[in-house]
Amino acid sequence: MIIGKFDPLKQQRFTVLDETGKIVNPSYEPKIDEATLLKMYRTMKLARIADIRALQYQRQGRMLTFAPVQGQEAAQIGTMAALDKNDWISPAFREHAAMLYHNVPLENIYLYWFGNERGSRVPDDVNVLPVNIPIGSQYGHAAGLAYASKLLKNNQQVAVTYIGDGGTSHGEFYEGLNFGSTFNVPMIGIIQNNQWAISTPRRKATKAATLAQKAYAVGIPGIQVDGNDVLAMYAVVKEAAERARKGEGPTLIEAFTYRLGPHTTSDDPTIYRKNEEVEEWKKRDPLIRFKAYMEAKNLWDDKKEAALDEELEAHVKATFEKVEKEGPVVSVDEVFDHTFATLTDDLKAQKAQYIQYVKETEGK
Ligand SMILES: Cc1ncc(C[n+]2csc(CCOP(=O)(O)OP(=O)(O)O)c2C)c(N)n1
Ligand SMILES: [Mg+2]
């Protein structure tokens, strides 16, 4: 048992793999089969390359806003690798790595950030909700999904949701968790404490010593985990999912990590944080750590790395070019038709007004 053993009130943080890729807590090393380890590493790399390229495309004026995930890949891949295909993700807006692992095509992610809402229409067998921008409400959606799972599936489909450090000060974070706790639903809350909420540092956002301890307010277990350690994240989420499926309710997991890039492409982090801080965290890059582990297990080497880089670069480039061709354009119907089963009178009027506006401005 890990959950309950590492007390966030005593500021104990759970780690398995240290910064050099060595196992520091052998009794907690999760048993993961080779195929899964390889999928984990591959998806971390895909997320990283897709991220770097998206930033460049945006700087070239070829992409709209983008919220980079760089630095947080282990927190997300470790989570999703420990869950089943039928489990649900209720994401915020920085969960590309988790979404990729849970089979959302990169094309959808790029389309969305290109301003094309068709990106939110994922394949039917992919259990991922659309990107959620209003901070906190994704916790309510996850609680609802998990409640449905309790009623219909005997808790066998777990709903995992993510939030940032800043987001844990939002009311909806507590409301979602409290609902999950009170109704004992199969839900896992992941806090990605990446140390910054745009320009607000973690220490200024709350006096709570850890964010995991916020679990205690709603009577569920909370644990702080080294979020750059993919094995630690995997081990804890595995246990949280077992609890959830047994009907023991939600767990709150704080992944202690770092956002290496800007908040979004509209942000300049050099204004509010020191370069030395970023350099320190670069040494704790989750990919370096996991690669060292894979090499020590003889599952990985430089030759494989070079081949994978080449393959993923080509995939990312081809995907982006396809998205760029499709463009951000959506029809007027698509803008209005997915909010309600039947359009409300207000929205009908707005739609008519918009059609008129498009007609009048056409060709201008
Ligand atoms: C309800 C709401 N208020 C404000 C915003 C604007 N906003 C977008 S991201 C952000 C900061 C989020 O910080 P954090 O929760 O730490 O997540 P991170 O961006 O670091 O992943 C804010 C204030 C929003 N999207 N929703
Ligand atoms: Mg943050």
Side-chain angles (χ1 to χ4, degrees):
M1 280 291 283
I2 306 163
I3 296 164
K5 201 164 177 185
F6 292 78
D7 186 354
L9 284 177
K10 295 189 185 135
Q11 292 167 53
Q12 293 167 331
R13 188 180 306 151
F14 177 62
T15 310
V16 175
L17 201 59
D18 76 3
E19 287 167 26
T20 64
K22 284 207 188 69
I23 298 285
V24 286
N25 247 334
S27 57
Y28 292 116
E29 182 183 355
K31 288 180 186 47
I32 309 177
D33 63 67
E34 276 184 28
T36 306
L37 282 171
L38 287 166
K39 182 179 172 188
M40 289 163 76
Y41 189 67
R42 186 188 170 83
T43 315
M44 277 170 106
K45 288 283 297 185
L46 172 60
R48 177 64 60 94
I49 291 171
D51 213 82
I52 292 171
R53 295 297 166 224
L55 274 176
Q56 289 171 340
Y57 292 135
Q58 197 277 342
R59 296 295 186 241
Q60 292 165 5
R62 295 166 70 193
M63 182 98 164
L64 282 180
T65 312
F66 189 77
V69 67
Q70 228 182 105
Q72 299 176 218
E73 294 92 344
Q76 299 185 13
I77 303 283
T79 305
M80 294 321 300
L83 295 174
D84 295 344
K85 184 179 178 289
N86 285 331
D87 293 330
W88 277 91
I89 312 181
S90 174
F93 47 80
R94 205 186 292 288
E95 274 67 68
H96 328 311
M99 288 161 88
L100 287 169
Y101 195 93
H102 216 49
N103 300 320
V104 174
L106 177 62
E107 186 177 341
N108 287 70
I109 295 168
Y110 271 1
L111 265 177
Y112 175 83
W113 293 98
F114 207 88
N116 189 330
E117 277 292 349
R118 282 177 202 153
S120 298
R121 182 77 170 88
V122 296
D124 285 347
D125 63 343
V126 171
N127 290 343
V128 179
L129 292 188
V131 164
N132 192 73
I133 301 286
I135 290 173
S137 48
Q138 71 274 20
Y139 264 61
H141 304 156
L145 282 168
Y147 186 49
S149 166
K150 178 182 173 169
L151 297 181
L152 302 172
K153 311 257 167 130
N154 190 28
N155 293 315
Q156 292 314 296
Q157 261 175 309
V158 172
V160 63
T161 185
Y162 293 88
I163 199 160
D165 39 284
T168 65
S169 297
H170 266 260
E172 283 174 293
F173 163 73
Y174 286 104
E175 289 162 29
L177 270 187
N178 194 57
F179 182 100
S181 165
T182 318
F183 288 89
N184 227 28
V185 302
M187 171 179 176
I188 300 175
I190 308 283
I191 302 165
Q192 290 179 91
N193 173 6
N194 64 8
Q195 314 302 329
W196 291 91
I198 315 183
S199 56
T200 304
R202 153 68 184 87
R203 73 188 145 75
K204 281 197 182 166
T206 169
K207 284 187 180 171
T210 67
L211 302 177
Q213 76 196 50
K214 296 189 177 196
Y216 296 159
V218 296
I220 60 169
I223 179 167
Q224 191 185 62
V225 179
D226 181 338
N228 286 14
D229 174 352
V230 75
L231 298 185
M233 285 301 295
Y234 179 99
V236 169
V237 172
K238 198 90 191 156
E239 219 177 271
E242 277 162 21
R243 291 190 67 243
R245 286 187 229 281
K246 277 194 275 182
E248 292 175 12
T251 305
L252 185 65
I253 299 167
E254 175 185 356
F256 197 83
T257 181
Y258 195 75
R259 155 165 70 72
L260 287 174
H263 170 70
T264 66
T265 43
S266 312
D267 170 47
D268 176 6
T270 60
I271 293 170
Y272 56 80
R273 70 182 189 187
K274 292 199 172 73
N275 197 38
E276 297 89 81
E277 178 184 306
V278 182
E279 289 306 316
E280 266 315 298
W281 277 94
K282 276 188 183 162
K283 293 182 198 152
R284 300 174 209 161
D285 187 324
L287 268 72
I288 297 175
R289 205 184 289 199
F290 193 34
K291 184 171 174 235
Y293 176 74
M294 296 289 278
E295 284 170 343
K297 275 185 134 9
N298 279 328
L299 288 174
W300 205 249
D301 56 37
D302 286 346
K303 218 173 129 198
K304 285 186 179 150
E305 179 85 3
L308 182 66
D309 275 345
E310 197 178 325
E311 182 201 328
L312 295 178
E313 286 285 3
H315 168 60
V316 167
K317 185 167 184 282
T319 305
F320 182 72
E321 282 168 2
K322 191 168 168 220
V323 165
E324 199 170 32
K325 255 196 207 123
E326 180 159 347
V329 188
V330 288
S331 69
V332 175
D333 284 343
E334 282 173 298
V335 174
F336 287 92
D337 286 357
H338 300 293
T339 310
F340 298 101
T342 320
L343 220 55
T344 62
D345 288 342
D346 272 4
L347 285 175
K348 269 187 206 156
Q350 280 185 29
K351 187 173 171 181
Q353 200 181 355
Y354 186 50
I355 290 170
Q356 186 61 28
Y357 165 80
V358 172
K359 261 195 210 143
E360 282 170 15
T361 53
E362 229 161 21
K364 278 192 187 165

